[in-house]
Amino acid sequence: MILIEKIEEMKFYIRERKKEGKIIGLVPTMGYLHQGHLALIKKAKEDCEVVVVSIFVNPVQFGRGEDYETYPRDLERDRDLCRREGVNVIFTPRVEEMYPQGYSTFVEVEGKLSSILEGASRPGHFRGVVTVLVKLFNIINPDYSYFGEKDYQQVLVVKKMVKDLNFNIQIIVLPTIREEDGLAISSRNSYLNKEERKAATILYRSLVAAKEQIKRGERNPHSLISFMKNLIEKEPLAHIDYIAVVNPKTLEEIEKIDKKALLALAVKIGETRLIDNMKIEI
Ligand code: AMP
């Protein structure tokens, strides 16, 4: 496994592999790798001859007052994990090279898809995500790129960008990997103290309870949201950002649950903002 920092070196490496006709897979991450990331890497290893894992805490996708500075970082540990998975390249560009002084080009998926839910709570977030991905896609030119369903809205936004900008990249989406008690694994879980960690299970528990209500015949999204709200509010460390019952393709609110729906929520546990979602099929 090699570690590449320089953009030109990364491009050169890829040019050489392309000459050899190799299939290239990219797993974009912000590092502090966990089982969720490793699931994406394992799938990439199955599909591709060359697997690149990018590790880049992307400043432009963090809003003011968010956790860019304190976001967990441990390159040594990430390196070991990637080596064990048979990753070919870790790409860790420097912020100053990705966004040099005078940098001024940003890519935005306009419209509702990126302005509701996470987009509403974190203005500019998807603009930052999409911009860094366009840069990574141009540098690495992968055949496949891997994303987790945990960031469900991100997947839809990325797929739209890939389609609109005619990238020849297959976006592969994998299910959310969870801890034994259901908590969706996230680098941000490391912020939680013992008490908060326990409280954080309320996200998954409320999704499961809502699904059960639907199984029992509940079809009204508003009643379902109230039901989840009541459950979550019983947890003193939890503060709801949003709870939504939406169309899984458009993320628009629905008036009745029939066939397919997505339950999505963002909840602060203490100071840590967590998200989760669950697809429902009747
Ligand atoms: P991040 O490092 O948080 O930006 O995540 C990098 C990629 O890993 C994104 O596509 C995430 O959706 C995915 N990911 C993060 N956590 C999980 C998880 N628990 N299960 C599956 N994929 C995940």
Side-chain angles (χ1 to χ4, degrees):
M1 188 183 77
I2 55 173
L3 191 135
I4 297 179
E5 242 190 34
K6 291 272 179 289
I7 293 173
E8 272 315 312
E9 202 182 318
M10 188 67 240
K11 283 182 166 176
F12 177 78
Y13 175 93
I14 293 294
R15 268 200 304 276
E16 294 304 302
R17 299 296 84 73
K18 293 260 175 191
K19 276 187 212 158
E20 298 163 0
K22 294 279 191 339
I23 303 286
I24 294 165
L26 168 66
V27 182
T29 82
M30 298 205 296
Y32 212 70
L33 303 180
H34 53 62
Q35 291 302 322
H37 298 117
L38 297 187
L40 305 184
I41 293 171
K42 283 182 210 295
K43 178 76 172 88
K45 281 298 292 179
E46 279 173 31
D47 300 343
C48 308
E49 295 163 289
V50 173
V51 172
V52 181
V53 173
S54 62
I55 296 181
F56 181 64
V57 184
N58 175 34
V60 304
Q61 73 187 65
F62 288 78
R64 248 175 238 262
E66 288 188 0
D67 56 346
Y68 172 67
E69 308 290 343
T70 53
Y71 195 83
R73 294 160 168 92
D74 188 345
L75 187 57
E76 276 314 302
R77 193 171 145 275
D78 290 349
R79 236 177 164 159
D80 286 343
L81 289 168
C82 285
R83 199 177 285 121
R84 255 182 265 161
E85 295 301 331
V87 168
N88 301 88
V89 184
I90 294 183
F91 179 50
T92 55
R94 293 197 162 274
V95 173
E96 308 82 71
E97 207 195 351
M98 288 291 267
Y99 304 109
Q101 265 224 325
Y103 184 91
S104 62
T105 303
F106 295 87
V107 185
E108 197 159 350
V109 173
E110 290 186 357
K112 253 190 149 173
L113 188 59
S114 45
S115 59
I116 53 179
L117 305 178
E118 286 302 287
S121 292
R122 305 182 67 189
H125 171 65
F126 288 120
R127 177 179 184 257
V129 169
V130 169
T131 298
V132 79
L133 284 173
V134 167
K135 287 172 72 70
L136 291 170
F137 288 172
N138 280 327
I139 295 164
I140 296 160
N141 197 2
D143 299 282
Y144 297 87
S145 189
Y146 297 82
F147 293 86
E149 216 162 48
K150 169 167 173 281
D151 300 280
Y152 190 98
Q153 188 173 8
Q154 171 171 285
V155 167
L156 294 188
V157 171
V158 171
K159 281 186 166 171
K160 182 79 167 73
M161 174 274 281
V162 164
K163 183 167 180 266
D164 286 355
L165 295 184
N166 311 102
F167 276 104
N168 261 326
I169 302 174
Q170 287 254 47
I171 299 301
I172 310 291
V173 183
L174 292 167
T176 303
I177 305 293
R178 299 178 179 281
E179 301 281 5
E180 263 183 27
D181 60 8
L183 176 66
I185 301 181
S186 161
S187 307
R188 288 192 170 98
N189 293 351
S190 65
Y191 296 146
L192 303 169
N193 65 29
K194 216 171 152 199
E195 230 180 309
E196 291 167 342
R197 170 63 187 79
K198 223 172 138 195
T201 57
I202 192 62
L203 280 87
Y204 183 65
R205 285 190 283 123
S206 66
L207 289 170
V208 171
K211 189 174 183 173
E212 190 55 36
Q213 288 297 106
I214 296 170
K215 258 194 210 155
R216 288 189 192 157
E218 181 62 76
R219 292 293 178 268
N220 183 331
H222 306 290
S223 319
L224 206 59
I225 290 169
S226 302
F227 170 80
M228 292 173 80
K229 188 166 177 276
N230 281 334
L231 256 182
I232 296 170
E233 280 174 349
K234 290 205 180 89
E235 173 50 68
L237 294 174
H239 297 280
I240 298 166
D241 180 350
Y242 64 77
I243 303 173
V245 179
V246 294
N247 175 319
K249 285 205 177 113
T250 62
L251 300 187
E252 284 177 17
E253 281 178 23
I254 51 180
E255 281 310 314
K256 186 173 185 296
I257 298 167
D258 61 355
K259 290 195 194 109
K260 289 183 182 187
L262 181 83
L263 312 178
L265 76 177
V267 177
K268 266 183 121 176
I269 303 292
E271 287 304 303
T272 306
R273 185 174 181 281
L274 302 175
I275 58 170
D276 203 348
N277 66 79
M278 187 174 279
K279 275 190 297 189
I280 303 291
E281 236 173 292
I282 301 171

